[in-house]
Amino acid sequence: MNQPVFALIDCNNFFVSCERVFRPDLEGKPVVVLSSNDGCAVARSNEAKALGIPMGAPAFKYRQLFRDHGVVQFSANFELYGDISKRITMLLTSITPRIEVYSVDESFLDLSQLNIHDFTAWGKMVRQKILEWVGIPVSIGIAPTKTLAKLASERAKKDPELEGVLFYNDTKYLERTSIQDVWGVGWRLTPRLKAEGVSNAWHLACLSPQRAQQLMGIHGRQMVAELNGVSCYPLAREGKPQKSISRTRTFGEDTSEANVIESALANFTTQACYRLRREGQLTRRAGLFLTTSRFKPGYRNWSREVHFSTPTADPGLILHTLVEQFSQLYSPQQSYHRAGVFLYDFASAGQLQTDLLGYVDTPLFDKTTARLQAIDHVNNRWGKYTLRIAAEDLARRWEPKHRLRSPRYVSNWDELPVAKIGYR
DNA sequence: TCTGGGGTCCTAGGACCC
DNA sequence: TCTGGGGTCCTAGGACCC
């Protein structure tokens, strides 16, 4: 068997790069993309990073800086980013089907079967192809383990001499990677490791497996092995069913009105159930939560959970149950800031379990399935909200703000870019 | 006034069983 | 009532990722 070789393809400043595909005039300018409620920065161009705007920077604290330096702001446009992400996935899949789409802007490829002689040249070719065909700059790291591929792609991003591609072949790159930049080391572990004298990836690689496990659990042991070139994390094969689905939002503005919140719950439940059906799953448990603002005194949160003896994907049923729970929690004196619906403990729609008494109302179940299929069919054909639960219309005032959203150039017929051709 | 959203996995401890 | 070991299941919380 061939030695494992992984490539990580990581899109640079992905959301910003997506905006720039349709706004090439923004090349070289500071750009930020704000989270769904225009609350904080979730992507920054290199120029914006150079201005000292950190990830997650609350927009209201940086307004002045944005003005002073002409930082261009966008509300997040996830439909656009999702579409561009799919195009890159398609391109990569044409190179090899052995791909793991790790997130919206990162994919791992297993290169061990590809018979590549010069990995650096191969990486540069792929990078150029993505840039030309989709318009997104990427960084590529190639190494015998995923952790090292990740580390290599970070170096490739930071060091311009590498031209976006690093084939990992030298432990000097470990010494140059500080401990908090290692995949799997977060803000909690960083101070603990530093206290042990472990301040870069090289130090971490030198820890004994026992010590690593002591400090960080089984994950730590695997991390150390991976840094030493021993692959512990295989390529995750697709088709792994999801274990939970949630839809949560911070409201456009805080609200005390029950019908506003119920309309939000209706929307979340509908979205979550649609996702659940697309996964071919039914749920046994559903929950909701409500919170006040974390940034105001007297922060509180509430949550409730319900159990279904027969697994379901019916938003009508789930919403009805959740709204009952909601009415028990609700107080008109409170000002609510955020809410969410979550589903978990799934059963495959193909192999329905009966309840404790061995009873499933099959005719009812079939009728529900047919009804939901009809709704999905209509909405796929005519648009997301063509058929919806009436409660969604009670008051849509919960919806987050997105004052600065770019057009959905590639996913909405009404927002296609317009090309102007001039004649002389 | 204004601070995102969606996930996974591991572990420790309690309840309960024999 | 007390003694001891071994096992499973569930849950809450912690840690991480993008």
Side-chain angles (χ1 to χ4, degrees):
Chain A
M1 200 182 114
N2 296 340
Q3 290 296 310
V5 191
F6 296 95
L8 177 66
I9 287 81
D10 187 353
C11 301
N12 298 349
N13 314 330
F14 183 54
F15 298 168
V16 168
S17 298
C18 289
E19 298 292 347
R20 278 178 172 166
V21 170
F22 295 91
R23 291 287 308 276
D25 57 301
L26 297 178
E27 210 59 53
K29 294 190 180 143
V31 179
V32 295
V33 173
L34 304 175
S35 58
S36 83
N37 217 3
D38 294 344
C40 58
V42 291
R44 305 148 299 146
S45 71
N46 290 344
E47 299 76 12
K49 288 177 187 171
L51 290 173
I53 301 166
M55 186 65 169
F60 78 96
K61 279 191 184 169
Y62 285 82
R63 291 275 181 237
Q64 191 60 46
L65 185 91
F66 290 171
R67 262 197 296 276
D68 293 348
H69 293 87
V71 175
V72 180
Q73 303 165 62
F74 287 96
S75 304
N77 184 347
F78 292 110
E79 282 188 42
L80 175 67
Y81 312 149
D83 184 273
I84 292 181
S85 176
K86 270 188 222 153
R87 289 164 196 248
I88 295 176
T89 304
M90 277 171 62
L91 197 163
L92 293 174
T93 306
S94 75
I95 295 171
T96 172
R98 299 189 59 80
I99 177 172
E100 173 187 345
V101 179
Y102 180 67
S103 74
V104 71
D105 64 341
E106 283 173 67
S107 287
F108 286 102
L109 301 187
D110 170 4
L111 307 185
S112 61
Q113 325 272 323
L114 284 191
N115 205 16
I116 297 165
H117 298 294
D118 183 341
F119 285 106
T120 307
W122 176 88
K124 286 186 180 170
M125 179 275 290
V126 171
R127 185 175 191 281
Q128 189 59 29
K129 207 167 182 177
I130 296 173
L131 195 57
E132 280 173 17
W133 291 16
V134 190
I136 299 292
V138 301
S139 301
I140 301 183
I142 302 165
T145 71
K146 284 170 139 185
T147 305
L148 287 172
K150 186 93 183 160
L151 186 148
S153 81
E154 288 301 319
R155 291 251 64 86
K157 189 174 297 182
K158 282 178 188 153
D159 188 346
E161 277 178 20
L162 296 171
E163 297 174 48
V165 178
L166 174 59
F167 172 51
Y168 176 89
N169 55 6
D170 191 329
T171 55
K172 74 183 179 198
Y173 297 115
L174 295 181
E175 288 164 40
R176 294 178 194 175
T177 302
S178 54
I179 193 66
Q180 66 268 25
D181 294 336
V182 175
W183 193 38
V185 178
W187 66 281
R188 275 291 193 4
L189 288 176
T190 298
R192 278 189 233 163
L193 287 169
K194 282 188 174 165
E196 294 282 318
V198 176
S199 61
N200 64 35
W202 171 250
H203 297 152
L204 185 56
C206 293
L207 279 187
S208 75
Q210 294 76 13
R211 186 78 188 116
Q213 182 152 5
Q214 223 170 21
L215 287 167
M216 299 170 284
I218 188 67
H219 224 83
R221 195 188 184 103
Q222 292 170 329
M223 215 147 56
V224 168
E226 284 247 323
L227 286 174
N228 286 294
V230 178
S231 179
C232 300
Y233 308 131
L235 201 74
R237 304 308 295 169
E238 58 182 300
K240 222 179 155 193
Q242 246 182 289
K243 300 195 167 169
S244 69
I245 293 171
S246 60
R247 287 296 176 268
T248 73
R249 283 291 176 278
T250 298
F251 301 140
E253 52 191 57
D254 291 6
T255 182
S256 298
E257 293 179 57
N259 64 353
V260 173
I261 299 169
E262 281 177 28
S263 130
L265 294 176
N267 183 270
F268 301 159
T269 306
T270 306
Q271 300 298 322
C273 287
Y274 177 64
R275 183 61 203 263
L276 187 68
R277 292 197 295 277
R278 269 199 358 207
E279 293 274 316
Q281 304 268 54
L282 303 168
T283 191
R284 294 190 187 88
R285 286 200 257 184
L288 73 98
F289 74 83
L290 297 164
T291 77
T292 62
S293 173
R294 279 182 312 177
F295 302 98
K296 288 179 186 162
Y299 168 70
R300 290 191 63 187
N301 64 79
W302 303 261
S303 66
R304 284 290 178 92
E305 208 187 294
V306 292
H307 188 266
F308 301 99
S309 53
T310 303
T312 179
D314 181 357
L317 172 66
I318 295 174
L319 179 63
H320 177 77
T321 320
L322 290 180
V323 166
E324 262 175 20
Q325 298 294 320
F326 165 69
S327 57
Q328 293 172 23
L329 297 174
Y330 170 73
S331 150
Q333 271 75 51
Q334 287 288 345
S335 186
Y336 299 96
H337 182 74
R338 201 163 88 93
V341 165
F342 48 90
L343 311 176
Y344 61 104
D345 196 359
F346 298 157
S348 165
Q351 21 181 301
L352 180 62
Q353 296 276 317
T354 59
D355 67 16
L356 209 63
L357 302 172
Y359 175 74
V360 176
D361 187 342
T362 308
L364 176 66
F365 181 76
D366 290 344
K367 229 164 113 183
T368 306
T369 307
R371 173 165 53 81
L372 295 175
Q373 276 173 355
I375 292 173
D376 289 345
H377 185 72
V378 169
N379 286 346
N380 289 337
R381 175 72 184 80
W382 299 101
K384 216 171 174 183
Y385 294 110
T386 309
L387 282 178
R388 55 193 182 271
I389 293 181
E392 278 196 70
D393 287 335
L394 284 175
R396 300 190 68 89
R397 296 203 305 280
W398 59 272
E399 284 180 305
K401 290 172 275 198
H402 42 75
R403 293 176 300 109
L404 307 163
R405 193 171 68 194
S406 56
R408 286 163 286 189
Y409 299 108
V410 290
S411 57
N412 189 310
W413 286 112
D414 298 326
E415 300 179 14
L416 295 181
V418 176
K420 295 193 176 111
I421 302 170
Y423 294 97
R424 287 175 192 258

